[in-house]
Structures are given as structure tokens and as C-alpha cells.
PDB file of all heavy atoms in Angstrom:
ATOM      1  N   SER A   1       2.963  -5.148   7.003  1.00  0.00           N
ATOM      2  CA  SER A   1       2.871  -5.712   5.669  1.00  0.00           C
ATOM      3  C   SER A   1       3.160  -4.766   4.421  1.00  0.00           C
ATOM      4  O   SER A   1       3.305  -5.212   3.350  1.00  0.00           O
ATOM      5  CB  SER A   1       1.504  -6.379   5.479  1.00  0.00           C
ATOM      6  OG  SER A   1       0.491  -5.439   5.495  1.00  0.00           O
ATOM      7  N   ILE A   2       3.287  -3.465   4.774  1.00  0.00           N
ATOM      8  CA  ILE A   2       3.496  -2.490   3.714  1.00  0.00           C
ATOM      9  C   ILE A   2       4.736  -2.770   2.892  1.00  0.00           C
ATOM     10  O   ILE A   2       4.731  -2.929   1.722  1.00  0.00           O
ATOM     11  CB  ILE A   2       3.444  -1.045   4.256  1.00  0.00           C
ATOM     12  CG1 ILE A   2       2.103  -0.669   4.837  1.00  0.00           C
ATOM     13  CG2 ILE A   2       3.868  -0.057   3.142  1.00  0.00           C
ATOM     14  CD1 ILE A   2       2.091   0.540   5.636  1.00  0.00           C
ATOM     15  N   ASN A   3       5.877  -2.869   3.596  1.00  0.00           N
ATOM     16  CA  ASN A   3       7.140  -3.083   2.971  1.00  0.00           C
ATOM     17  C   ASN A   3       7.227  -4.425   2.243  1.00  0.00           C
ATOM     18  O   ASN A   3       7.800  -4.543   1.163  1.00  0.00           O
ATOM     19  CB  ASN A   3       8.395  -2.962   3.942  1.00  0.00           C
ATOM     20  CG  ASN A   3       8.525  -1.497   4.407  1.00  0.00           C
ATOM     21  OD1 ASN A   3       8.130  -0.599   3.674  1.00  0.00           O
ATOM     22  ND2 ASN A   3       9.104  -1.356   5.589  1.00  0.00           N
ATOM     23  N   VAL A   4       6.676  -5.505   2.919  1.00  0.00           N
ATOM     24  CA  VAL A   4       6.606  -6.829   2.292  1.00  0.00           C
ATOM     25  C   VAL A   4       5.824  -6.776   0.973  1.00  0.00           C
ATOM     26  O   VAL A   4       6.322  -7.278  -0.043  1.00  0.00           O
ATOM     27  CB  VAL A   4       6.005  -7.810   3.291  1.00  0.00           C
ATOM     28  CG1 VAL A   4       5.775  -9.192   2.584  1.00  0.00           C
ATOM     29  CG2 VAL A   4       6.864  -7.904   4.564  1.00  0.00           C
ATOM     30  N   LEU A   5       4.754  -6.160   0.986  1.00  0.00           N
ATOM     31  CA  LEU A   5       3.869  -6.036  -0.184  1.00  0.00           C
ATOM     32  C   LEU A   5       4.596  -5.231  -1.338  1.00  0.00           C
ATOM     33  O   LEU A   5       4.557  -5.556  -2.493  1.00  0.00           O
ATOM     34  CB  LEU A   5       2.530  -5.429   0.145  1.00  0.00           C
ATOM     35  CG  LEU A   5       1.350  -5.663  -0.783  1.00  0.00           C
ATOM     36  CD1 LEU A   5       1.218  -7.119  -1.186  1.00  0.00           C
ATOM     37  CD2 LEU A   5       0.113  -5.094  -0.184  1.00  0.00           C
ATOM     38  N   GLN A   6       5.237  -4.074  -0.891  1.00  0.00           N
ATOM     39  CA  GLN A   6       5.985  -3.276  -1.888  1.00  0.00           C
ATOM     40  C   GLN A   6       7.138  -4.094  -2.493  1.00  0.00           C
ATOM     41  O   GLN A   6       7.387  -4.015  -3.723  1.00  0.00           O
ATOM     42  CB  GLN A   6       6.558  -2.021  -1.247  1.00  0.00           C
ATOM     43  CG  GLN A   6       5.478  -1.005  -0.959  1.00  0.00           C
ATOM     44  CD  GLN A   6       5.993   0.163  -0.148  1.00  0.00           C
ATOM     45  OE1 GLN A   6       6.876   0.084   0.688  1.00  0.00           O
ATOM     46  NE2 GLN A   6       5.326   1.347  -0.305  1.00  0.00           N
ATOM     47  N   GLU A   7       7.860  -4.813  -1.702  1.00  0.00           N
ATOM     48  CA  GLU A   7       8.912  -5.705  -2.239  1.00  0.00           C
ATOM     49  C   GLU A   7       8.426  -6.773  -3.175  1.00  0.00           C
ATOM     50  O   GLU A   7       8.951  -7.086  -4.185  1.00  0.00           O
ATOM     51  CB  GLU A   7       9.719  -6.375  -1.054  1.00  0.00           C
ATOM     52  CG  GLU A   7      10.611  -5.387  -0.330  1.00  0.00           C
ATOM     53  CD  GLU A   7      11.658  -4.704  -1.314  1.00  0.00           C
ATOM     54  OE1 GLU A   7      12.280  -5.443  -2.111  1.00  0.00           O
ATOM     55  OE2 GLU A   7      11.777  -3.477  -1.234  1.00  0.00           O
ATOM     56  N   TYR A   8       7.250  -7.345  -2.807  1.00  0.00           N
ATOM     57  CA  TYR A   8       6.667  -8.357  -3.738  1.00  0.00           C
ATOM     58  C   TYR A   8       6.309  -7.736  -5.040  1.00  0.00           C
ATOM     59  O   TYR A   8       6.603  -8.340  -6.106  1.00  0.00           O
ATOM     60  CB  TYR A   8       5.425  -8.982  -2.999  1.00  0.00           C
ATOM     61  CG  TYR A   8       4.753  -9.956  -3.894  1.00  0.00           C
ATOM     62  CD1 TYR A   8       5.326 -11.200  -4.179  1.00  0.00           C
ATOM     63  CD2 TYR A   8       3.550  -9.632  -4.503  1.00  0.00           C
ATOM     64  CE1 TYR A   8       4.726 -12.147  -4.997  1.00  0.00           C
ATOM     65  CE2 TYR A   8       2.928 -10.554  -5.397  1.00  0.00           C
ATOM     66  CZ  TYR A   8       3.506 -11.825  -5.616  1.00  0.00           C
ATOM     67  OH  TYR A   8       2.872 -12.718  -6.421  1.00  0.00           O
ATOM     68  N   ALA A   9       5.745  -6.579  -5.037  1.00  0.00           N
ATOM     69  CA  ALA A   9       5.348  -5.860  -6.283  1.00  0.00           C
ATOM     70  C   ALA A   9       6.579  -5.666  -7.143  1.00  0.00           C
ATOM     71  O   ALA A   9       6.533  -5.929  -8.384  1.00  0.00           O
ATOM     72  CB  ALA A   9       4.654  -4.498  -5.993  1.00  0.00           C
ATOM     73  N   LYS A  10       7.743  -5.292  -6.538  1.00  0.00           N
ATOM     74  CA  LYS A  10       8.936  -5.129  -7.335  1.00  0.00           C
ATOM     75  C   LYS A  10       9.393  -6.435  -7.904  1.00  0.00           C
ATOM     76  O   LYS A  10       9.835  -6.545  -9.054  1.00  0.00           O
ATOM     77  CB  LYS A  10      10.071  -4.502  -6.399  1.00  0.00           C
ATOM     78  CG  LYS A  10       9.871  -3.074  -6.084  1.00  0.00           C
ATOM     79  CD  LYS A  10      10.951  -2.601  -5.161  1.00  0.00           C
ATOM     80  CE  LYS A  10      10.669  -1.249  -4.616  1.00  0.00           C
ATOM     81  NZ  LYS A  10      11.594  -0.872  -3.589  1.00  0.00           N
ATOM     82  N   GLN A  11       9.302  -7.517  -7.122  1.00  0.00           N
ATOM     83  CA  GLN A  11       9.753  -8.937  -7.551  1.00  0.00           C
ATOM     84  C   GLN A  11       8.993  -9.314  -8.748  1.00  0.00           C
ATOM     85  O   GLN A  11       9.552  -9.999  -9.629  1.00  0.00           O
ATOM     86  CB  GLN A  11       9.715  -9.843  -6.435  1.00  0.00           C
ATOM     87  CG  GLN A  11      10.744  -9.659  -5.364  1.00  0.00           C
ATOM     88  CD  GLN A  11      10.425 -10.632  -4.211  1.00  0.00           C
ATOM     89  OE1 GLN A  11       9.592 -11.535  -4.223  1.00  0.00           O
ATOM     90  NE2 GLN A  11      11.208 -10.453  -3.128  1.00  0.00           N
ATOM     91  N   VAL A  12       7.691  -9.044  -8.769  1.00  0.00           N
ATOM     92  CA  VAL A  12       6.901  -9.571  -9.880  1.00  0.00           C
ATOM     93  C   VAL A  12       6.698  -8.534 -10.964  1.00  0.00           C
ATOM     94  O   VAL A  12       5.952  -8.717 -11.830  1.00  0.00           O
ATOM     95  CB  VAL A  12       5.476 -10.061  -9.340  1.00  0.00           C
ATOM     96  CG1 VAL A  12       5.630 -11.246  -8.456  1.00  0.00           C
ATOM     97  CG2 VAL A  12       4.706  -8.940  -8.731  1.00  0.00           C
ATOM     98  N   ASN A  13       7.599  -7.483 -10.868  1.00  0.00           N
ATOM     99  CA  ASN A  13       7.678  -6.491 -11.886  1.00  0.00           C
ATOM    100  C   ASN A  13       6.367  -5.710 -12.104  1.00  0.00           C
ATOM    101  O   ASN A  13       5.974  -5.474 -13.180  1.00  0.00           O
ATOM    102  CB  ASN A  13       8.164  -7.013 -13.183  1.00  0.00           C
ATOM    103  CG  ASN A  13       8.715  -5.949 -14.184  1.00  0.00           C
ATOM    104  OD1 ASN A  13       9.105  -4.889 -13.686  1.00  0.00           O
ATOM    105  ND2 ASN A  13       8.827  -6.228 -15.442  1.00  0.00           N
ATOM    106  N   GLU A  14       5.699  -5.471 -11.062  1.00  0.00           N
ATOM    107  CA  GLU A  14       4.377  -4.794 -11.057  1.00  0.00           C
ATOM    108  C   GLU A  14       4.657  -3.299 -10.744  1.00  0.00           C
ATOM    109  O   GLU A  14       5.505  -2.937  -9.973  1.00  0.00           O
ATOM    110  CB  GLU A  14       3.439  -5.347 -10.036  1.00  0.00           C
ATOM    111  CG  GLU A  14       2.990  -6.729 -10.336  1.00  0.00           C
ATOM    112  CD  GLU A  14       1.972  -6.781 -11.485  1.00  0.00           C
ATOM    113  OE1 GLU A  14       1.287  -5.769 -11.802  1.00  0.00           O
ATOM    114  OE2 GLU A  14       1.813  -7.902 -12.028  1.00  0.00           O
ATOM    115  N   SER A  15       3.861  -2.467 -11.313  1.00  0.00           N
ATOM    116  CA  SER A  15       3.948  -1.031 -11.032  1.00  0.00           C
ATOM    117  C   SER A  15       2.899  -0.678  -9.933  1.00  0.00           C
ATOM    118  O   SER A  15       2.573   0.540  -9.786  1.00  0.00           O
ATOM    119  CB  SER A  15       3.696  -0.184 -12.262  1.00  0.00           C
ATOM    120  OG  SER A  15       2.403  -0.444 -12.778  1.00  0.00           O
ATOM    121  N   ALA A  16       2.418  -1.616  -9.255  1.00  0.00           N
ATOM    122  CA  ALA A  16       1.356  -1.378  -8.202  1.00  0.00           C
ATOM    123  C   ALA A  16       1.804  -0.465  -7.159  1.00  0.00           C
ATOM    124  O   ALA A  16       3.039  -0.488  -6.788  1.00  0.00           O
ATOM    125  CB  ALA A  16       0.940  -2.709  -7.637  1.00  0.00           C
ATOM    126  N   LYS A  17       0.951   0.303  -6.721  1.00  0.00           N
ATOM    127  CA  LYS A  17       1.202   1.166  -5.542  1.00  0.00           C
ATOM    128  C   LYS A  17       0.508   0.531  -4.322  1.00  0.00           C
ATOM    129  O   LYS A  17      -0.579   0.086  -4.358  1.00  0.00           O
ATOM    130  CB  LYS A  17       0.572   2.578  -5.765  1.00  0.00           C
ATOM    131  CG  LYS A  17       1.009   3.290  -7.016  1.00  0.00           C
ATOM    132  CD  LYS A  17       2.471   3.644  -6.978  1.00  0.00           C
ATOM    133  CE  LYS A  17       2.848   4.374  -8.240  1.00  0.00           C
ATOM    134  NZ  LYS A  17       4.306   4.738  -8.266  1.00  0.00           N
ATOM    135  N   VAL A  18       1.282   0.537  -3.197  1.00  0.00           N
ATOM    136  CA  VAL A  18       0.787  -0.061  -1.998  1.00  0.00           C
ATOM    137  C   VAL A  18       0.257   1.089  -1.037  1.00  0.00           C
ATOM    138  O   VAL A  18       0.870   2.033  -0.825  1.00  0.00           O
ATOM    139  CB  VAL A  18       1.864  -0.864  -1.265  1.00  0.00           C
ATOM    140  CG1 VAL A  18       1.331  -1.413   0.093  1.00  0.00           C
ATOM    141  CG2 VAL A  18       2.343  -1.969  -2.153  1.00  0.00           C
ATOM    142  N   VAL A  19      -0.994   0.864  -0.662  1.00  0.00           N
ATOM    143  CA  VAL A  19      -1.626   1.881   0.246  1.00  0.00           C
ATOM    144  C   VAL A  19      -2.033   1.200   1.450  1.00  0.00           C
ATOM    145  O   VAL A  19      -2.664   0.106   1.475  1.00  0.00           O
ATOM    146  CB  VAL A  19      -2.854   2.530  -0.457  1.00  0.00           C
ATOM    147  CG1 VAL A  19      -3.630   3.425   0.455  1.00  0.00           C
ATOM    148  CG2 VAL A  19      -2.393   3.313  -1.713  1.00  0.00           C
ATOM    149  N   TYR A  20      -1.760   1.694   2.669  1.00  0.00           N
ATOM    150  CA  TYR A  20      -2.208   1.174   3.874  1.00  0.00           C
ATOM    151  C   TYR A  20      -3.687   1.494   4.053  1.00  0.00           C
ATOM    152  O   TYR A  20      -4.038   2.644   4.043  1.00  0.00           O
ATOM    153  CB  TYR A  20      -1.356   1.725   5.017  1.00  0.00           C
ATOM    154  CG  TYR A  20      -1.679   1.232   6.418  1.00  0.00           C
ATOM    155  CD1 TYR A  20      -2.034  -0.028   6.683  1.00  0.00           C
ATOM    156  CD2 TYR A  20      -1.647   2.095   7.487  1.00  0.00           C
ATOM    157  CE1 TYR A  20      -2.399  -0.534   7.967  1.00  0.00           C
ATOM    158  CE2 TYR A  20      -1.889   1.705   8.787  1.00  0.00           C
ATOM    159  CZ  TYR A  20      -2.300   0.397   9.021  1.00  0.00           C
ATOM    160  OH  TYR A  20      -2.619  -0.019  10.295  1.00  0.00           O
ATOM    161  N   PHE A  21      -4.502   0.487   4.233  1.00  0.00           N
ATOM    162  CA  PHE A  21      -5.951   0.656   4.302  1.00  0.00           C
ATOM    163  C   PHE A  21      -6.337   1.698   5.304  1.00  0.00           C
ATOM    164  O   PHE A  21      -7.167   2.608   5.053  1.00  0.00           O
ATOM    165  CB  PHE A  21      -6.638  -0.704   4.560  1.00  0.00           C
ATOM    166  CG  PHE A  21      -8.084  -0.550   4.822  1.00  0.00           C
ATOM    167  CD1 PHE A  21      -8.995  -0.642   3.761  1.00  0.00           C
ATOM    168  CD2 PHE A  21      -8.588  -0.388   6.103  1.00  0.00           C
ATOM    169  CE1 PHE A  21     -10.354  -0.502   3.897  1.00  0.00           C
ATOM    170  CE2 PHE A  21     -10.002  -0.225   6.286  1.00  0.00           C
ATOM    171  CZ  PHE A  21     -10.835  -0.295   5.196  1.00  0.00           C
ATOM    172  N   THR A  22      -5.817   1.640   6.575  1.00  0.00           N
ATOM    173  CA  THR A  22      -6.144   2.545   7.628  1.00  0.00           C
ATOM    174  C   THR A  22      -5.819   3.996   7.250  1.00  0.00           C
ATOM    175  O   THR A  22      -6.582   4.920   7.540  1.00  0.00           O
ATOM    176  CB  THR A  22      -5.519   2.137   8.899  1.00  0.00           C
ATOM    177  OG1 THR A  22      -5.827   0.779   9.176  1.00  0.00           O
ATOM    178  CG2 THR A  22      -5.833   3.046  10.067  1.00  0.00           C
ATOM    179  N   ASP A  23      -4.715   4.204   6.492  1.00  0.00           N
ATOM    180  CA  ASP A  23      -4.323   5.617   6.085  1.00  0.00           C
ATOM    181  C   ASP A  23      -5.361   6.058   5.067  1.00  0.00           C
ATOM    182  O   ASP A  23      -5.779   7.215   5.092  1.00  0.00           O
ATOM    183  CB  ASP A  23      -3.024   5.584   5.491  1.00  0.00           C
ATOM    184  CG  ASP A  23      -1.851   5.424   6.538  1.00  0.00           C
ATOM    185  OD1 ASP A  23      -2.167   5.589   7.773  1.00  0.00           O
ATOM    186  OD2 ASP A  23      -0.728   5.219   6.121  1.00  0.00           O
ATOM    187  N   LEU A  24      -5.837   5.233   4.186  1.00  0.00           N
ATOM    188  CA  LEU A  24      -6.775   5.654   3.205  1.00  0.00           C
ATOM    189  C   LEU A  24      -8.082   6.039   3.893  1.00  0.00           C
ATOM    190  O   LEU A  24      -8.743   7.088   3.521  1.00  0.00           O
ATOM    191  CB  LEU A  24      -7.010   4.495   2.139  1.00  0.00           C
ATOM    192  CG  LEU A  24      -8.025   4.901   0.995  1.00  0.00           C
ATOM    193  CD1 LEU A  24      -7.507   6.069   0.249  1.00  0.00           C
ATOM    194  CD2 LEU A  24      -8.129   3.601   0.080  1.00  0.00           C
ATOM    195  N   LEU A  25      -8.521   5.249   4.795  1.00  0.00           N
ATOM    196  CA  LEU A  25      -9.731   5.601   5.528  1.00  0.00           C
ATOM    197  C   LEU A  25      -9.631   6.894   6.342  1.00  0.00           C
ATOM    198  O   LEU A  25     -10.523   7.768   6.362  1.00  0.00           O
ATOM    199  CB  LEU A  25     -10.148   4.454   6.475  1.00  0.00           C
ATOM    200  CG  LEU A  25     -11.432   4.565   7.310  1.00  0.00           C
ATOM    201  CD1 LEU A  25     -12.652   4.807   6.380  1.00  0.00           C
ATOM    202  CD2 LEU A  25     -11.649   3.398   8.258  1.00  0.00           C
ATOM    203  N   GLU A  26      -8.499   7.070   6.953  1.00  0.00           N
ATOM    204  CA  GLU A  26      -8.195   8.297   7.722  1.00  0.00           C
ATOM    205  C   GLU A  26      -8.253   9.479   6.795  1.00  0.00           C
ATOM    206  O   GLU A  26      -8.798  10.535   7.129  1.00  0.00           O
ATOM    207  CB  GLU A  26      -6.900   8.198   8.447  1.00  0.00           C
ATOM    208  CG  GLU A  26      -6.497   9.384   9.261  1.00  0.00           C
ATOM    209  CD  GLU A  26      -5.212   9.298   9.935  1.00  0.00           C
ATOM    210  OE1 GLU A  26      -4.694   8.184  10.167  1.00  0.00           O
ATOM    211  OE2 GLU A  26      -4.632  10.334  10.399  1.00  0.00           O
ATOM    212  N   GLU A  27      -7.607   9.368   5.663  1.00  0.00           N
ATOM    213  CA  GLU A  27      -7.656  10.508   4.712  1.00  0.00           C
ATOM    214  C   GLU A  27      -9.001  10.782   4.141  1.00  0.00           C
ATOM    215  O   GLU A  27      -9.319  11.937   3.816  1.00  0.00           O
ATOM    216  CB  GLU A  27      -6.632  10.234   3.539  1.00  0.00           C
ATOM    217  CG  GLU A  27      -5.217  10.420   3.973  1.00  0.00           C
ATOM    218  CD  GLU A  27      -4.974  11.788   4.614  1.00  0.00           C
ATOM    219  OE1 GLU A  27      -5.420  12.822   4.181  1.00  0.00           O
ATOM    220  OE2 GLU A  27      -4.337  11.759   5.788  1.00  0.00           O
ATOM    221  N   PHE A  28      -9.860   9.775   3.978  1.00  0.00           N
ATOM    222  CA  PHE A  28     -11.252   9.990   3.613  1.00  0.00           C
ATOM    223  C   PHE A  28     -11.904  10.848   4.688  1.00  0.00           C
ATOM    224  O   PHE A  28     -12.634  11.831   4.384  1.00  0.00           O
ATOM    225  CB  PHE A  28     -12.027   8.692   3.426  1.00  0.00           C
ATOM    226  CG  PHE A  28     -13.475   8.891   3.408  1.00  0.00           C
ATOM    227  CD1 PHE A  28     -14.144   9.442   2.255  1.00  0.00           C
ATOM    228  CD2 PHE A  28     -14.271   8.506   4.474  1.00  0.00           C
ATOM    229  CE1 PHE A  28     -15.525   9.635   2.281  1.00  0.00           C
ATOM    230  CE2 PHE A  28     -15.671   8.673   4.457  1.00  0.00           C
ATOM    231  CZ  PHE A  28     -16.232   9.255   3.414  1.00  0.00           C
ATOM    232  N   VAL A  29     -11.760  10.563   5.952  1.00  0.00           N
ATOM    233  CA  VAL A  29     -12.360  11.311   7.017  1.00  0.00           C
ATOM    234  C   VAL A  29     -11.847  12.746   6.978  1.00  0.00           C
ATOM    235  O   VAL A  29     -12.610  13.712   7.111  1.00  0.00           O
ATOM    236  CB  VAL A  29     -12.143  10.637   8.371  1.00  0.00           C
ATOM    237  CG1 VAL A  29     -12.494  11.535   9.589  1.00  0.00           C
ATOM    238  CG2 VAL A  29     -12.748   9.250   8.449  1.00  0.00           C
ATOM    239  N   ASN A  30     -10.551  12.874   6.840  1.00  0.00           N
ATOM    240  CA  ASN A  30      -9.974  14.213   6.763  1.00  0.00           C
ATOM    241  C   ASN A  30     -10.489  15.065   5.624  1.00  0.00           C
ATOM    242  O   ASN A  30     -10.809  16.200   5.676  1.00  0.00           O
ATOM    243  CB  ASN A  30      -8.395  14.188   6.747  1.00  0.00           C
ATOM    244  CG  ASN A  30      -7.813  13.649   7.984  1.00  0.00           C
ATOM    245  OD1 ASN A  30      -8.358  13.687   9.083  1.00  0.00           O
ATOM    246  ND2 ASN A  30      -6.616  13.099   7.847  1.00  0.00           N
TER     247      ASN A  30
END
């Protein structure tokens, strides 16, 4: 869903950043 969500953000002209939840959790642990 990462690419789909990034494409959607572009379509609705949002500057949102897409973060994969699991990667964020992993980086917290690291």
C-alpha cells in the first residue's frame, strides 16, 4: 500500500509523507 498511498497523496495535491508503520516501529527499536 505504500506506493498506492503515495500516488493518492500526489493526486489530491497533498504534501503528506508516507511511512510504513512496521519500518517506523523497527526504527524505534533500533
